[in-house]
Amino acid sequence: MSTLRIVWLYPDLLSTYGDRGNLLVLAHRARTRGIDVEPMQVRSDQRIPHTADMYLIGGGEDGPQAVAAERLLDDGALNRAAEAGKPILAICAGYQLLGESFYANGRAYAGLNILDLRSDRGPSRAVGEIAGDAAPQLGIGPITGFENHGGRTHLGEAVQPLARVTAGVGNDGATEGAWAGHVIGTYMHGPALSRNPRIADLLLAWAVGTDPAHLPPIDDTWPERLRAERFQAVTAAQ
């Protein structure tokens, strides 16, 4: 691969709690390994390129989330990317709209049906640190992030939870996020990849067609210090 093209979708609608940092983390970790990167920001009034290698979508409020879902459904490129096996990382509102349906503005909206899940409103807002034990098949270790959402997400049989919750709420107090194929959805802000560099490397490995273990190692001293500090804070609060 000569250039890795990473698309950040709809930053004008879905970009809260530092979600742009996921794009920066991926670009940095790729370039550190000698992989040329072309980060692309595609606004909601633009067509989504079909030739990208990875797609990112962030979180946002109810109104922008509903608009984003309508425009993504009309465009169709993200569904085709998922069908082609392109890596997709979706955060919070972006995660919800990848499912069958989500709740916003007091009613249900159709989602993209990329992941077998649906989201509705929970009894209370989930705000604060979230941590969990990730699916062992992914090889990403424990996860850490920050959540702020009023929804609850119910997983179907065709997806697996990204992690089992050890602190926070996530989907429903028991599981957090979901994954299927090369698509990962999560409620973790933070941004998610600054706290979980192994997820970043998993996405990069999928994009370049290799195993994460085959990526050249890089210095993760500071990300690991951040992770240790966040896990310690969660433990102290329990």
Side-chain angles (χ1 to χ4, degrees), residues 9-194:
L9 291 171
Y10 297 179
D12 54 323
L13 295 177
L14 301 174
S15 177
T16 56
Y17 303 110
D19 289 337
R20 178 174 177 267
N22 293 320
L23 177 65
L24 301 179
V25 169
L26 285 162
H28 170 74
R29 296 183 74 82
R31 287 169 177 154
T32 301
R33 294 181 165 106
I35 302 171
D36 187 38
V37 181
E38 181 184 359
M40 305 169 65
Q41 297 186 26
V42 177
R43 295 174 58 88
S44 61
D45 60 352
Q46 299 174 313
R47 302 300 293 181
I48 299 171
H50 298 188
T51 56
D53 302 296
M54 189 187 307
Y55 297 82
L56 311 177
I57 188 164
E61 301 299 325
D62 282 12
Q65 180 187 23
V67 173
E70 179 182 352
R71 295 184 182 180
L72 287 167
L73 283 167
D74 178 68
D75 187 288
L78 195 60
N79 288 76
R80 290 190 289 273
E83 292 169 1
K86 301 291 182 68
I88 297 172
L89 175 67
I91 308 295
C92 202
Y95 164 43
Q96 291 183 354
L97 62 80
L98 292 191
E100 174 189 345
S101 63
F102 64 92
Y103 200 82
N105 298 325
R107 68 179 183 89
Y109 285 82
L112 276 66
N113 256 325
I114 290 175
L115 291 176
D116 181 18
L117 55 86
R118 61 179 179 83
S119 300
D120 54 25
R121 287 298 187 199
S124 61
R125 192 162 189 87
V127 182
E129 292 293 306
I130 183 169
D133 296 322
Q137 307 96 304
L138 296 177
I140 58 176
I143 61 165
T144 169
F146 174 81
E147 62 179 343
N148 186 351
H149 58 95
R152 297 296 184 270
T153 296
H154 312 280
L155 307 186
E157 295 182 356
V159 296
Q160 297 189 55
L162 179 64
R164 299 290 173 180
V165 169
T166 57
V169 177
N171 295 326
D172 55 8
T175 67
E176 151 55 19
W179 68 281
H182 290 167
V183 180
I184 294 177
T186 176
Y187 277 112
M188 293 188 297
H189 294 285
L193 299 186
S194 66

Side-chain angles (χ1 to χ4, degrees), residues 11 30 41 69 94 174 187 201 208 210 223 232 237:
Q41 297 186 26
Y187 277 112
D201 288 350
V208 302
T210 190
Q232 184 178 24

